[in-house]
Amino acid sequence: MRRWYCQEKDSIVGKHLDSFTLTEERMTTVAVAHMVKFTKQNFFFLVGGMIIYVVDIGVDFWVASRYFCQGQYSWSILILCFRGLSSIITQIFSYEWFKNDWEGTDTGKLKLVFLVHLFHCGIFIRYWFALKYGCQAAFKQTSSRGASEADPSNFIQKQAIDAVTDINMLRVFKAFLETTPQLFLQIYILMEHGKTHFYQYAAIMMSFCGISLSMVDYQISLRKSLPDKDEFHLFSKFVYLFYKLLTITSWILSISLITLLNVRISVILLIFLWISGFIWTLKQNTTFCKSKKMEYLYRTIVGIILFFSFFNIKGRRTKFCISIYYATHTVVTLGILFVYMFWKPSIIKEICFTIVSILTISSLVLGIIFLVVYYSHFHPTTYCTPQAYSDEMDGGAGQKVRVKTGRFQNFLMQ
């Protein structure tokens, strides 16, 4: 995506933005001819994502209140802790991006933005900008491929894509800091107590919807924001979605089983795998943030994300790494099932264990199959030819045009 330094003329959320300048940091030059459009479908996805985001907040507090009323205080506190941690992290990164992009503007505006983020409403400012520019790009503007980047129609297209991309990066954080841990918690509660309630199924469904939308929207933004990525077609969306959902589901079921067996062993395993992911992230020398403190925070979060699913954090070829990653998951999953067979053989006779075991293995196998299909036929490197772009390229009317990519190219790739 492009990073923009914004100077707003009248107000933060109420007036038209006055001027933008492109930062020179961590950007590469690409061709304007590759310009992608922000479509009506993208706009409706944006609206749907915002609705699910708001509903998810309501479901979190509803489920937490139900557990609290039943005397299950620990479950209620854990749900709210996951929610709070996710919100704090997204607000920190959202404000940091505003601060970087609005460098040199009136400090009063940044103070107001800080106040909004302090009350955990920063994401709604971003949704307002995304809806504003998305509506203009999808319904009121027509992008001209032959025009330069400064052309008003193309300019609005970039603003819409950039605004949505920032939101989708924040939603990736939310998916793995809140939604996925809550899904693990709900499945563990169901497996431990056996009693089911409607609000538990509602929480599980919202978790799956949240993970699904964040993963698909993230990939759509990846393809739109980076010049060497092709469009994310319908069938490839489903293949990618099933690959992620099935592998994550299998892993969550495995961790739920080991947690049922022994909570202490489960915690040790979680910490060990997080440390492994964090150390690997350190060795990759990521350059996502401007400040060292924010970069280490980012690497800490990536360590958590890597616990649940694999992502390419440097945009390099990762055939060996992803093979090791899912081979490790497979060994751990099979190891947990074998531990159950030898440690508590009486559980093997229970129908619940049989169903969970079948779901765990089948999800893992199907997930890996979809993974192989995706990387063999639908991953951008299999059908997109990398292009080398010079710093200056011929634009319309023989003009030299510079187009650059920024923050998103240093984020999680796939």
Side-chain angles (χ1 to χ4, degrees):
M1 71 164 273
R2 279 105 180 133
R3 274 181 76 196
W4 302 92
Y5 284 166
C6 311
Q7 294 182 337
E8 194 174 4
K9 186 175 181 179
D10 296 313
S11 68
I12 292 176
V13 295
K15 303 294 181 180
H16 192 286
L17 294 180
D18 182 54
S19 63
F20 291 81
T21 29
L22 287 168
T23 146
E24 294 294 328
E25 297 178 4
R26 302 196 311 271
M27 296 184 173
T28 56
T29 309
V30 299
V32 171
H34 194 278
M35 175 74 64
V36 290
K37 293 182 63 177
F38 187 89
T39 63
K40 294 179 181 179
Q41 182 185 25
N42 299 139
F43 180 81
F44 291 131
F45 264 99
L46 174 65
V47 173
M50 184 181 66
I51 293 173
I52 289 181
Y53 182 88
V54 174
V55 172
D56 185 53
I57 295 175
V59 170
D60 285 344
F61 284 105
W62 176 45
V63 173
S65 66
R66 295 297 299 171
Y67 281 128
F68 188 84
C69 292
Q70 294 177 2
Q72 302 288 344
Y73 304 120
S74 57
W75 305 141
S76 178
I77 292 173
L78 275 175
I79 289 173
L80 294 179
C81 284
F82 289 139
R83 171 71 205 172
L85 174 64
S86 167
S87 183
I88 290 172
I89 295 298
T90 54
Q91 301 304 318
I92 290 174
F93 276 95
S94 178
Y95 174 71
E96 187 71 15
W97 296 345
F98 270 122
K99 188 170 67 173
N100 293 338
D101 294 344
W102 291 4
E103 193 174 56
T105 60
D106 185 6
T107 55
K109 297 171 184 176
L110 282 176
K111 288 180 180 179
L112 180 56
V113 170
F114 174 78
L115 186 63
V116 173
H117 283 78
L118 185 63
F119 287 97
H120 292 252
C121 295
I123 189 70
F124 295 108
I125 295 181
R126 294 193 173 275
Y127 267 116
W128 190 92
F129 278 119
L131 290 172
K132 174 183 176 182
Y133 298 130
C135 182
Q136 293 179 16
F139 298 98
K140 300 178 182 179
Q141 298 282 341
T142 55
S143 175
S144 354
R145 287 188 173 273
S148 69
E149 182 178 327
D151 182 82
S153 60
N154 286 342
F155 192 55
I156 292 296
Q157 292 284 333
K158 292 189 188 72
Q159 288 178 321
I161 292 172
D162 293 346
V164 172
T165 301
D166 276 343
I167 290 174
N168 288 335
M169 285 194 289
L170 294 174
R171 287 175 60 191
V172 169
F173 287 152
K174 180 181 182 297
F176 290 100
L177 293 176
E178 175 192 343
T179 310
T180 307
Q182 285 183 352
L183 178 60
F184 156 70
L185 180 62
Q186 295 299 332
I187 291 176
Y188 169 76
I189 293 173
L190 287 177
M191 292 170 62
E192 183 185 36
H193 297 286
K195 297 180 180 180
T196 59
H197 301 278
F198 172 74
Y199 61 85
Q200 291 175 312
Y201 288 115
I204 290 174
M205 288 302 298
M206 285 304 303
S207 295
F208 274 115
C209 287
I211 295 171
S212 303
L213 277 178
S214 63
M215 291 295 95
V216 173
D217 288 346
Y218 159 76
Q219 271 296 316
I220 292 174
S221 292
L222 175 65
R223 307 299 177 88
K224 285 183 176 294
S225 299
L226 299 179
D228 58 342
K229 308 294 182 185
D230 204 350
E231 284 291 320
F232 204 26
H233 301 294
L234 181 62
F235 190 67
S236 58
K237 290 178 185 177
F238 280 107
V239 173
Y240 178 79
L241 176 61
F242 284 127
Y243 144 52
K244 282 294 183 182
L245 277 184
L246 289 171
T247 52
I248 290 174
T249 300
S250 173
W251 185 240
I252 289 176
L253 290 174
S254 301
I255 299 303
S256 300
L257 284 174
I258 195 65
T259 305
L260 279 174
L261 190 64
N262 192 299
V263 176
R264 185 175 299 176
I265 293 177
S266 176
V267 172
I268 293 174
L269 178 63
L270 297 181
I271 294 175
F272 172 76
L273 292 175
W274 170 77
I275 292 175
S276 300
F278 178 69
I279 292 174
W280 185 69
T281 306
L282 287 178
K283 290 185 176 180
Q284 297 299 305
N285 294 319
T286 58
T287 55
F288 179 65
C289 303
K290 294 181 67 175
S291 67
K292 288 186 178 180
K293 291 181 180 179
M294 290 299 298
E295 190 65 36
Y296 277 106
L297 177 60
Y298 169 72
R299 292 172 181 177
T300 302
I301 296 169
V302 170
I304 298 174
I305 293 175
L306 290 174
F307 172 79
F308 292 106
S309 186
F310 179 84
F311 282 92
N312 182 356
I313 62 176
K314 286 291 285 186
R316 298 169 181 168
R317 291 188 177 274
T318 54
K319 183 178 180 180
F320 175 77
C321 294
I322 197 171
S323 300
I324 295 297
Y325 181 88
Y326 284 107
T328 302
H329 272 214
T330 302
V331 170
V332 173
T333 298
L334 294 177
I336 290 172
L337 295 178
F338 279 120
V339 166
Y340 259 89
M341 294 175 62
F342 291 103
W343 196 333
K344 291 189 175 181
S346 59
I347 299 181
I348 304 299
K349 300 178 181 179
E350 297 182 8
I351 298 177
C352 178
F353 176 80
T354 303
I355 294 175
V356 172
S357 299
I358 293 173
L359 287 175
T360 302
I361 297 298
S362 59
S363 297
L364 178 61
V365 172
L366 289 174
I368 292 177
I369 291 174
F370 278 107
L371 181 154
V372 173
V373 172
Y374 174 76
Y375 276 91
S376 300
H377 300 286
F378 300 107
H379 193 269
T381 56
T382 63
Y383 55 79
C384 292
T385 304
Q387 302 179 40
Y389 300 104
S390 60
D391 287 343
E392 293 186 343
M393 310 200 72
D394 291 333
Q399 295 178 345
K400 297 292 184 179
V401 181
R402 293 178 62 86
V403 185
K404 302 176 180 179
T405 59
R407 180 156 54 221
F408 198 75
Q409 71 174 3
N410 294 313
F411 194 61
L412 301 171
M413 301 294 170
Q414 185 60 49

